[in-house]
Amino acid sequence: MSKSRKWLALMVAFALALSAFALVGCGAAEEEPVDEPGTEEPGEPAAEVTTIEAGKLLAGSDTEFPPFEFIEGDEVKGFDVDLLSAIGEKMGLEVVFMTEIFDTLIPTLKAGGKFDVIASGMTIKPERQLEIDFSDPYYDSNQSLVMAKGSAYAGPEDLTGKRIGVQSGTTGEAWAKENIEDATLVPFNSATDAFAALQAGNVDAVVNDLPVSAELLKEDDRGMEIVAQIPTGEQYGFGVSKDNPELLAAINEALAELKADGTYNEIYQKWFGVAPE
Ligand code: ARG
């Protein structure tokens, strides 16, 4: 290498290192020393939203959770899909759903670089709020207990010592842990896997979000029934990294607009056949 080439190589390396440093700086929400104070007028729309891919809003989701997200043919459909797509439209972003295992959604969002938002019927809970931010609530939900048809069930005490199928990392799993004594929890990657195990007799009961259990058993109950509704009073929200408060603000703003202009009601009616309460 000639002397000047070496010099050039050094300069390029230095520039790369500098820009990498700058990128890391952008990722951190707490310190934004490059932003000149006072450049943002009060009352102006939120600062520009940054997403992983320009023009797109990438959504991580366990897409086996009808009617919130499910795959039909090669298309992803559902309430979350329609609602987030409408939000994306308001923001001028194309929403793209990516299928992920539910239990990996929060760590993957936190790690960054794969998807911008979690749209997966995810319940807003304080423990999760330590790790990520949630949008304003967009759906009220409860748990359900599903067993083989004709099973006797009067309360959690009837399940003592039984095998309980749950989806890993869900609020259904947490409920079963807290409320059923000496149960053997059998974790599955998806709710549909848990139901398949119940149908096959490999578990005695499944604890799962009520609207999803109802949907999964609607057309073909495969010998199973909802034996109890469990009023946990959950609310679903979209999950956003704590490093992206602008995105969170923009999602909340769009969601509020969709609630005000009737679009939210239309989407709700389409998937649940009733108006939201
Ligand atoms: N609402 C429950 C929770 O947040 C279950 C969500 C599961 N979602 C899914 N797409 N599999 O824990």
mmCIF file with all atom_site columns, all heavy atoms in Angstrom, residues 62 65 69 102 120-123 128 167 169-171 209 234 236, ligand 1:
data_model
loop_
_atom_site.group_PDB
_atom_site.id
_atom_site.type_symbol
_atom_site.label_atom_id
_atom_site.label_alt_id
_atom_site.label_comp_id
_atom_site.label_asym_id
_atom_site.label_entity_id
_atom_site.label_seq_id
_atom_site.pdbx_PDB_ins_code
_atom_site.Cartn_x
_atom_site.Cartn_y
_atom_site.Cartn_z
_atom_site.occupancy
_atom_site.B_iso_or_equiv
_atom_site.pdbx_formal_charge
_atom_site.auth_seq_id
_atom_site.auth_comp_id
_atom_site.auth_asym_id
_atom_site.auth_atom_id
_atom_site.pdbx_PDB_model_num
ATOM   1   N N   . ASP A 1 62  ? -46.868 -12.971 17.453 1.00 0.00 ? 62  ASP A N   1
ATOM   2   C CA  . ASP A 1 62  ? -47.116 -14.412 17.357 1.00 0.00 ? 62  ASP A CA  1
ATOM   3   C C   . ASP A 1 62  ? -48.422 -14.563 16.607 1.00 0.00 ? 62  ASP A C   1
ATOM   4   O O   . ASP A 1 62  ? -49.496 -14.326 17.161 1.00 0.00 ? 62  ASP A O   1
ATOM   5   C CB  . ASP A 1 62  ? -47.223 -15.042 18.744 1.00 0.00 ? 62  ASP A CB  1
ATOM   6   C CG  . ASP A 1 62  ? -47.819 -16.435 18.639 1.00 0.00 ? 62  ASP A CG  1
ATOM   7   O OD1 . ASP A 1 62  ? -47.331 -17.228 17.819 1.00 0.00 ? 62  ASP A OD1 1
ATOM   8   O OD2 . ASP A 1 62  ? -48.799 -16.719 19.343 1.00 0.00 ? 62  ASP A OD2 1
ATOM   9   N N   . PHE A 1 65  ? -52.957 -16.382 16.859 1.00 0.00 ? 65  PHE A N   1
ATOM   10  C CA  . PHE A 1 65  ? -53.760 -15.882 17.959 1.00 0.00 ? 65  PHE A CA  1
ATOM   11  C C   . PHE A 1 65  ? -55.021 -15.215 17.417 1.00 0.00 ? 65  PHE A C   1
ATOM   12  O O   . PHE A 1 65  ? -55.226 -14.015 17.580 1.00 0.00 ? 65  PHE A O   1
ATOM   13  C CB  . PHE A 1 65  ? -52.895 -14.891 18.765 1.00 0.00 ? 65  PHE A CB  1
ATOM   14  C CG  . PHE A 1 65  ? -53.258 -14.757 20.214 1.00 0.00 ? 65  PHE A CG  1
ATOM   15  C CD1 . PHE A 1 65  ? -53.183 -15.844 21.077 1.00 0.00 ? 65  PHE A CD1 1
ATOM   16  C CD2 . PHE A 1 65  ? -53.639 -13.530 20.733 1.00 0.00 ? 65  PHE A CD2 1
ATOM   17  C CE1 . PHE A 1 65  ? -53.483 -15.707 22.426 1.00 0.00 ? 65  PHE A CE1 1
ATOM   18  C CE2 . PHE A 1 65  ? -53.941 -13.378 22.082 1.00 0.00 ? 65  PHE A CE2 1
ATOM   19  C CZ  . PHE A 1 65  ? -53.862 -14.470 22.928 1.00 0.00 ? 65  PHE A CZ  1
ATOM   20  N N   . GLU A 1 69  ? -54.467 -12.003 15.444 1.00 0.00 ? 69  GLU A N   1
ATOM   21  C CA  . GLU A 1 69  ? -53.519 -12.157 14.344 1.00 0.00 ? 69  GLU A CA  1
ATOM   22  C C   . GLU A 1 69  ? -53.467 -13.627 13.982 1.00 0.00 ? 69  GLU A C   1
ATOM   23  O O   . GLU A 1 69  ? -53.379 -14.486 14.861 1.00 0.00 ? 69  GLU A O   1
ATOM   24  C CB  . GLU A 1 69  ? -52.095 -11.659 14.706 1.00 0.00 ? 69  GLU A CB  1
ATOM   25  C CG  . GLU A 1 69  ? -51.614 -12.041 16.099 1.00 0.00 ? 69  GLU A CG  1
ATOM   26  C CD  . GLU A 1 69  ? -51.924 -10.949 17.113 1.00 0.00 ? 69  GLU A CD  1
ATOM   27  O OE1 . GLU A 1 69  ? -51.997 -9.783  16.722 1.00 0.00 ? 69  GLU A OE1 1
ATOM   28  O OE2 . GLU A 1 69  ? -52.102 -11.278 18.302 1.00 0.00 ? 69  GLU A OE2 1
ATOM   29  N N   . PHE A 1 102 ? -44.046 -15.787 20.865 1.00 0.00 ? 102 PHE A N   1
ATOM   30  C CA  . PHE A 1 102 ? -44.527 -14.763 21.809 1.00 0.00 ? 102 PHE A CA  1
ATOM   31  C C   . PHE A 1 102 ? -43.508 -14.427 22.890 1.00 0.00 ? 102 PHE A C   1
ATOM   32  O O   . PHE A 1 102 ? -43.231 -13.261 23.161 1.00 0.00 ? 102 PHE A O   1
ATOM   33  C CB  . PHE A 1 102 ? -45.856 -15.212 22.450 1.00 0.00 ? 102 PHE A CB  1
ATOM   34  C CG  . PHE A 1 102 ? -46.449 -14.156 23.330 1.00 0.00 ? 102 PHE A CG  1
ATOM   35  C CD1 . PHE A 1 102 ? -47.107 -13.058 22.784 1.00 0.00 ? 102 PHE A CD1 1
ATOM   36  C CD2 . PHE A 1 102 ? -46.315 -14.231 24.708 1.00 0.00 ? 102 PHE A CD2 1
ATOM   37  C CE1 . PHE A 1 102 ? -47.630 -12.063 23.591 1.00 0.00 ? 102 PHE A CE1 1
ATOM   38  C CE2 . PHE A 1 102 ? -46.839 -13.232 25.527 1.00 0.00 ? 102 PHE A CE2 1
ATOM   39  C CZ  . PHE A 1 102 ? -47.500 -12.156 24.962 1.00 0.00 ? 102 PHE A CZ  1
ATOM   40  N N   . SER A 1 120 ? -49.444 -8.014  19.318 1.00 0.00 ? 120 SER A N   1
ATOM   41  C CA  . SER A 1 120 ? -49.608 -9.447  19.545 1.00 0.00 ? 120 SER A CA  1
ATOM   42  C C   . SER A 1 120 ? -50.591 -9.739  20.673 1.00 0.00 ? 120 SER A C   1
ATOM   43  O O   . SER A 1 120 ? -50.381 -10.660 21.452 1.00 0.00 ? 120 SER A O   1
ATOM   44  C CB  . SER A 1 120 ? -48.223 -10.040 19.865 1.00 0.00 ? 120 SER A CB  1
ATOM   45  O OG  . SER A 1 120 ? -48.225 -11.445 19.635 1.00 0.00 ? 120 SER A OG  1
ATOM   46  N N   . GLY A 1 121 ? -51.655 -8.958  20.741 1.00 0.00 ? 121 GLY A N   1
ATOM   47  C CA  . GLY A 1 121 ? -52.616 -9.150  21.819 1.00 0.00 ? 121 GLY A CA  1
ATOM   48  C C   . GLY A 1 121 ? -51.930 -9.137  23.163 1.00 0.00 ? 121 GLY A C   1
ATOM   49  O O   . GLY A 1 121 ? -52.296 -9.894  24.063 1.00 0.00 ? 121 GLY A O   1
ATOM   50  N N   . MET A 1 122 ? -50.945 -8.266  23.303 1.00 0.00 ? 122 MET A N   1
ATOM   51  C CA  . MET A 1 122 ? -50.129 -8.286  24.524 1.00 0.00 ? 122 MET A CA  1
ATOM   52  C C   . MET A 1 122 ? -50.753 -7.424  25.616 1.00 0.00 ? 122 MET A C   1
ATOM   53  O O   . MET A 1 122 ? -51.077 -6.255  25.399 1.00 0.00 ? 122 MET A O   1
ATOM   54  C CB  . MET A 1 122 ? -48.702 -7.829  24.234 1.00 0.00 ? 122 MET A CB  1
ATOM   55  C CG  . MET A 1 122 ? -47.788 -8.025  25.445 1.00 0.00 ? 122 MET A CG  1
ATOM   56  S SD  . MET A 1 122 ? -46.081 -7.605  25.117 1.00 0.00 ? 122 MET A SD  1
ATOM   57  C CE  . MET A 1 122 ? -45.454 -9.155  24.481 1.00 0.00 ? 122 MET A CE  1
ATOM   58  N N   . THR A 1 123 ? -50.912 -8.036  26.781 1.00 0.00 ? 123 THR A N   1
ATOM   59  C CA  . THR A 1 123 ? -51.497 -7.355  27.926 1.00 0.00 ? 123 THR A CA  1
ATOM   60  C C   . THR A 1 123 ? -50.499 -6.369  28.535 1.00 0.00 ? 123 THR A C   1
ATOM   61  O O   . THR A 1 123 ? -49.321 -6.699  28.703 1.00 0.00 ? 123 THR A O   1
ATOM   62  C CB  . THR A 1 123 ? -51.895 -8.400  28.987 1.00 0.00 ? 123 THR A CB  1
ATOM   63  O OG1 . THR A 1 123 ? -52.821 -9.310  28.392 1.00 0.00 ? 123 THR A OG1 1
ATOM   64  C CG2 . THR A 1 123 ? -52.512 -7.747  30.211 1.00 0.00 ? 123 THR A CG2 1
ATOM   65  N N   . ARG A 1 128 ? -43.923 -5.845  32.624 1.00 0.00 ? 128 ARG A N   1
ATOM   66  C CA  . ARG A 1 128 ? -43.510 -5.606  31.235 1.00 0.00 ? 128 ARG A CA  1
ATOM   67  C C   . ARG A 1 128 ? -43.173 -4.136  31.017 1.00 0.00 ? 128 ARG A C   1
ATOM   68  O O   . ARG A 1 128 ? -42.304 -3.811  30.210 1.00 0.00 ? 128 ARG A O   1
ATOM   69  C CB  . ARG A 1 128 ? -44.620 -6.052  30.273 1.00 0.00 ? 128 ARG A CB  1
ATOM   70  C CG  . ARG A 1 128 ? -44.809 -7.560  30.235 1.00 0.00 ? 128 ARG A CG  1
ATOM   71  C CD  . ARG A 1 128 ? -45.985 -7.961  29.355 1.00 0.00 ? 128 ARG A CD  1
ATOM   72  N NE  . ARG A 1 128 ? -46.113 -9.416  29.285 1.00 0.00 ? 128 ARG A NE  1
ATOM   73  C CZ  . ARG A 1 128 ? -47.185 -10.059 28.880 1.00 0.00 ? 128 ARG A CZ  1
ATOM   74  N NH1 . ARG A 1 128 ? -48.250 -9.377  28.495 1.00 0.00 ? 128 ARG A NH1 1
ATOM   75  N NH2 . ARG A 1 128 ? -47.207 -11.376 28.843 1.00 0.00 ? 128 ARG A NH2 1
ATOM   76  N N   . GLN A 1 167 ? -49.531 -20.923 27.137 1.00 0.00 ? 167 GLN A N   1
ATOM   77  C CA  . GLN A 1 167 ? -48.551 -20.388 26.196 1.00 0.00 ? 167 GLN A CA  1
ATOM   78  C C   . GLN A 1 167 ? -47.454 -19.698 26.997 1.00 0.00 ? 167 GLN A C   1
ATOM   79  O O   . GLN A 1 167 ? -47.729 -18.873 27.877 1.00 0.00 ? 167 GLN A O   1
ATOM   80  C CB  . GLN A 1 167 ? -49.208 -19.396 25.226 1.00 0.00 ? 167 GLN A CB  1
ATOM   81  C CG  . GLN A 1 167 ? -48.210 -18.903 24.190 1.00 0.00 ? 167 GLN A CG  1
ATOM   82  C CD  . GLN A 1 167 ? -48.807 -17.972 23.147 1.00 0.00 ? 167 GLN A CD  1
ATOM   83  O OE1 . GLN A 1 167 ? -49.893 -17.417 23.327 1.00 0.00 ? 167 GLN A OE1 1
ATOM   84  N NE2 . GLN A 1 167 ? -48.092 -17.803 22.058 1.00 0.00 ? 167 GLN A NE2 1
ATOM   85  N N   . GLY A 1 169 ? -44.849 -17.461 28.672 1.00 0.00 ? 169 GLY A N   1
ATOM   86  C CA  . GLY A 1 169 ? -44.658 -16.019 28.823 1.00 0.00 ? 169 GLY A CA  1
ATOM   87  C C   . GLY A 1 169 ? -45.942 -15.224 28.835 1.00 0.00 ? 169 GLY A C   1
ATOM   88  O O   . GLY A 1 169 ? -45.896 -13.993 28.810 1.00 0.00 ? 169 GLY A O   1
ATOM   89  N N   . THR A 1 170 ? -47.088 -15.898 28.893 1.00 0.00 ? 170 THR A N   1
ATOM   90  C CA  . THR A 1 170 ? -48.354 -15.149 28.829 1.00 0.00 ? 170 THR A CA  1
ATOM   91  C C   . THR A 1 170 ? -48.940 -14.906 30.214 1.00 0.00 ? 170 THR A C   1
ATOM   92  O O   . THR A 1 170 ? -48.540 -15.516 31.207 1.00 0.00 ? 170 THR A O   1
ATOM   93  C CB  . THR A 1 170 ? -49.416 -15.922 28.000 1.00 0.00 ? 170 THR A CB  1
ATOM   94  O OG1 . THR A 1 170 ? -49.643 -17.192 28.633 1.00 0.00 ? 170 THR A OG1 1
ATOM   95  C CG2 . THR A 1 170 ? -48.959 -16.121 26.574 1.00 0.00 ? 170 THR A CG2 1
ATOM   96  N N   . THR A 1 171 ? -49.941 -14.048 30.225 1.00 0.00 ? 171 THR A N   1
ATOM   97  C CA  . THR A 1 171 ? -50.677 -13.775 31.453 1.00 0.00 ? 171 THR A CA  1
ATOM   98  C C   . THR A 1 171 ? -51.491 -15.005 31.862 1.00 0.00 ? 171 THR A C   1
ATOM   99  O O   . THR A 1 171 ? -51.782 -15.182 33.046 1.00 0.00 ? 171 THR A O   1
ATOM   100 C CB  . THR A 1 171 ? -51.617 -12.578 31.238 1.00 0.00 ? 171 THR A CB  1
ATOM   101 O OG1 . THR A 1 171 ? -52.332 -12.756 30.005 1.00 0.00 ? 171 THR A OG1 1
ATOM   102 C CG2 . THR A 1 171 ? -50.832 -11.284 31.156 1.00 0.00 ? 171 THR A CG2 1
ATOM   103 N N   . ASP A 1 209 ? -56.302 -16.539 26.804 1.00 0.00 ? 209 ASP A N   1
ATOM   104 C CA  . ASP A 1 209 ? -57.147 -15.357 26.656 1.00 0.00 ? 209 ASP A CA  1
ATOM   105 C C   . ASP A 1 209 ? -58.539 -15.746 26.117 1.00 0.00 ? 209 ASP A C   1
ATOM   106 O O   . ASP A 1 209 ? -58.643 -16.433 25.096 1.00 0.00 ? 209 ASP A O   1
ATOM   107 C CB  . ASP A 1 209 ? -56.508 -14.337 25.694 1.00 0.00 ? 209 ASP A CB  1
ATOM   108 C CG  . ASP A 1 209 ? -55.253 -13.686 26.279 1.00 0.00 ? 209 ASP A CG  1
ATOM   109 O OD1 . ASP A 1 209 ? -54.591 -14.321 27.136 1.00 0.00 ? 209 ASP A OD1 1
ATOM   110 O OD2 . ASP A 1 209 ? -54.912 -12.566 25.873 1.00 0.00 ? 209 ASP A OD2 1
ATOM   111 N N   . GLU A 1 234 ? -57.815 -7.590  31.805 1.00 0.00 ? 234 GLU A N   1
ATOM   112 C CA  . GLU A 1 234 ? -56.584 -7.210  31.087 1.00 0.00 ? 234 GLU A CA  1
ATOM   113 C C   . GLU A 1 234 ? -56.881 -6.208  29.968 1.00 0.00 ? 234 GLU A C   1
ATOM   114 O O   . GLU A 1 234 ? -57.990 -6.155  29.454 1.00 0.00 ? 234 GLU A O   1
ATOM   115 C CB  . GLU A 1 234 ? -55.936 -8.467  30.495 1.00 0.00 ? 234 GLU A CB  1
ATOM   116 C CG  . GLU A 1 234 ? -55.503 -9.419  31.593 1.00 0.00 ? 234 GLU A CG  1
ATOM   117 C CD  . GLU A 1 234 ? -54.969 -10.740 31.071 1.00 0.00 ? 234 GLU A CD  1
ATOM   118 O OE1 . GLU A 1 234 ? -54.196 -10.752 30.099 1.00 0.00 ? 234 GLU A OE1 1
ATOM   119 O OE2 . GLU A 1 234 ? -55.321 -11.769 31.675 1.00 0.00 ? 234 GLU A OE2 1
ATOM   120 N N   . TYR A 1 236 ? -55.052 -4.864  26.262 1.00 0.00 ? 236 TYR A N   1
ATOM   121 C CA  . TYR A 1 236 ? -53.957 -5.032  25.297 1.00 0.00 ? 236 TYR A CA  1
ATOM   122 C C   . TYR A 1 236 ? -53.412 -3.664  24.878 1.00 0.00 ? 236 TYR A C   1
ATOM   123 O O   . TYR A 1 236 ? -54.165 -2.695  24.741 1.00 0.00 ? 236 TYR A O   1
ATOM   124 C CB  . TYR A 1 236 ? -54.437 -5.733  24.019 1.00 0.00 ? 236 TYR A CB  1
ATOM   125 C CG  . TYR A 1 236 ? -54.955 -7.147  24.183 1.00 0.00 ? 236 TYR A CG  1
ATOM   126 C CD1 . TYR A 1 236 ? -55.647 -7.757  23.133 1.00 0.00 ? 236 TYR A CD1 1
ATOM   127 C CD2 . TYR A 1 236 ? -54.738 -7.893  25.340 1.00 0.00 ? 236 TYR A CD2 1
ATOM   128 C CE1 . TYR A 1 236 ? -56.122 -9.059  23.234 1.00 0.00 ? 236 TYR A CE1 1
ATOM   129 C CE2 . TYR A 1 236 ? -55.209 -9.191  25.452 1.00 0.00 ? 236 TYR A CE2 1
ATOM   130 C CZ  . TYR A 1 236 ? -55.912 -9.771  24.395 1.00 0.00 ? 236 TYR A CZ  1
ATOM   131 O OH  . TYR A 1 236 ? -56.387 -11.058 24.495 1.00 0.00 ? 236 TYR A OH  1
HETATM 132 N N1  . ARG B 2 .   ? -52.680 -11.360 26.437 1.00 0.00 ? 1   ARG B N1  1
HETATM 133 C C1  . ARG B 2 .   ? -51.790 -12.399 26.834 1.00 0.00 ? 1   ARG B C1  1
HETATM 134 C C2  . ARG B 2 .   ? -50.476 -11.825 27.293 1.00 0.00 ? 1   ARG B C2  1
HETATM 135 O O1  . ARG B 2 .   ? -50.181 -10.725 27.011 1.00 0.00 ? 1   ARG B O1  1
HETATM 136 C C3  . ARG B 2 .   ? -51.531 -13.409 25.745 1.00 0.00 ? 1   ARG B C3  1
HETATM 137 C C4  . ARG B 2 .   ? -51.061 -12.839 24.461 1.00 0.00 ? 1   ARG B C4  1
HETATM 138 C C5  . ARG B 2 .   ? -50.613 -13.880 23.482 1.00 0.00 ? 1   ARG B C5  1
HETATM 139 N N2  . ARG B 2 .   ? -50.524 -13.316 22.167 1.00 0.00 ? 1   ARG B N2  1
HETATM 140 C C6  . ARG B 2 .   ? -50.217 -13.988 21.073 1.00 0.00 ? 1   ARG B C6  1
HETATM 141 N N3  . ARG B 2 .   ? -50.243 -13.369 19.923 1.00 0.00 ? 1   ARG B N3  1
HETATM 142 N N4  . ARG B 2 .   ? -49.915 -15.232 21.158 1.00 0.00 ? 1   ARG B N4  1
HETATM 143 O O2  . ARG B 2 .   ? -49.700 -12.479 27.931 1.00 0.00 ? 1   ARG B O2  1
#
